[in-house]
């Protein structure tokens, strides 16, 4: 488990084919300072397992499904990545509960500079839109952020906005994001659990017409379709 508080900006030094996946080598002096083989490290929001490591580097295998669901398939030697070691039991939870299980990717639609911060609007898949709420939490490229605005429900091209403070712009890769860039997205695990529970409630409820004064509504189903 992670918190979405990036500890280090690492650099990919090698990308090697490995079956239908790849093996990444990342330069990460801080991340490997107390790392052991088998430990978990979030790489731009994706939880990877350390396969080998040295004084200032580690390697991790990335399977095809992960490459298809995230931006890791676009990495090459020299690419910067956000890094976070798995949270320790004695650590303050500075961000929110992050699993490192990416739901999909989004695209930067707009970048608006401010006096001391930067607002980024990100487009996201329609099935993820119900899981993103104003003032809620979301993980973008492994960074825990607070949603500052969302598109209206039912918008055919959903989006959300985040406001990036100077610390985030300096320490993470988000400071270099421009319009058209793809980013990894992980929605709040609590929202995903609620959506899953509601889908079972909807299936269990007998079908009937709304009574006078009732409002009929549809519960989006992240697994596909709706109820």
């Amino acid at each position: 488990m992670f918190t979405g508080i990036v500890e280090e900006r690492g650099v990919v030094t090698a990308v090697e084919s490995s079956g239908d996946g790849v093996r990444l080598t990342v330069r990460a002096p801080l991340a490997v300072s107390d790392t052991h083989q088998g430990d978990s490290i979030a790489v731009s929001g994706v939880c990877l397992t350390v396969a080998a490591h040295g004084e200032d580097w580690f390697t991790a295998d990335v399977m095809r499904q992960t490459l298809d669901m995230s931006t890791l398939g676009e990495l090459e030697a020299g690419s910067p990545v956000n890094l976070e070691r798995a949270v320790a039991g004695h650590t303050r939870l500075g961000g929110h509960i992050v699993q490192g299980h990416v739901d999909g990717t989004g695209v930067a639609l707009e970048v608006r500079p401010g006096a001391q911060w930067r607002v980024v609007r990100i487009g996201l898949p329609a099935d993820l839109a119900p899981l993103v709420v104003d003032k809620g939490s979301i993980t973008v490229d492994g960074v825990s952020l607070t949603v500052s605005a969302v598109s209206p429900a039912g918008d055919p091209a959903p989006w959300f906005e985040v406001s990036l403070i100077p610390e985030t712009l300096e320490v993470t890769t988000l400071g270099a994001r421009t319009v058209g860039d793809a980013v990894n997205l992980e929605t709040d695990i609590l929202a995903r659990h609620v959506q899953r529970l509601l889908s079972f409630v909807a299936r269990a409820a007998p079908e009937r017409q709304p009574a006078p004064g009732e409002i009929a509504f549809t519960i989006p189903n992240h697994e596909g379709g709706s109820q």
Side-chain angles (χ1 to χ4, degrees):
M1 189 181 76
F2 307 92
T3 68
I5 304 300
V6 171
E7 297 182 293
E8 180 179 21
R9 188 163 51 188
V11 177
V12 175
T13 59
V15 180
E16 303 170 274
S17 295
S18 177
D20 64 347
V22 299
R23 171 164 282 201
L24 290 179
T25 302
V26 182
R27 183 180 181 278
L30 176 61
V32 300
S33 61
D34 61 351
T35 291
H36 302 87
Q37 186 172 347
D39 284 354
S40 296
I41 296 178
V43 178
S44 289
V46 181
C47 178
L48 298 180
T49 301
V50 174
H53 64 92
E55 184 177 348
D56 65 351
W57 58 270
F58 72 92
T59 63
D61 294 308
V62 188
M63 67 178 68
R64 170 50 52 187
Q65 181 182 15
T66 302
L67 295 174
D68 292 340
M69 294 248 342
S70 72
T71 63
L72 295 194
E74 302 173 9
L75 296 178
E76 56 187 17
S79 296
V81 289
N82 295 322
L83 301 174
E84 180 189 356
R85 292 168 291 183
V87 65
H90 58 78
T91 302
R92 292 184 177 88
L93 189 63
H96 70 284
I97 297 174
V98 176
Q99 294 181 296
H101 301 162
V102 171
D103 293 310
T105 60
V107 177
L109 302 176
E110 183 182 352
V111 178
R112 303 195 305 273
Q116 297 183 357
W117 58 83
R118 190 176 303 166
V119 177
V120 181
R121 176 173 291 192
I122 299 173
L124 75 165
D127 62 331
L128 298 184
L131 303 175
V132 182
V133 299
D134 190 21
K135 305 301 185 293
S137 297
I138 191 164
T139 308
V140 179
D141 277 350
V143 183
S144 174
L145 299 171
T146 300
V147 177
S148 55
V150 292
S151 57
D155 191 320
W159 52 265
F160 68 92
E161 291 183 349
V162 289
S163 299
L164 308 180
I165 61 174
E167 174 73 6
T168 301
L169 295 172
E170 180 179 352
V171 173
T172 76
T173 60
L174 296 185
R177 289 293 177 226
T178 59
V179 172
D181 285 351
V183 293
N184 293 322
L185 302 177
E186 181 183 336
T187 56
D188 188 354
I189 185 175
L190 297 179
R192 299 201 302 273
H193 275 296
V194 170
Q195 185 183 67
R196 175 68 169 165
L197 288 170
L198 288 176
S199 71
F200 278 99
V201 171
R203 287 190 178 96
E207 293 187 7
R208 65 178 179 83
Q209 294 298 317
E214 287 186 336
I215 300 175
F217 64 95
T218 299
I219 301 173
N221 181 1
H222 182 45
E223 299 170 339
S226 61
Q227 286 75 43

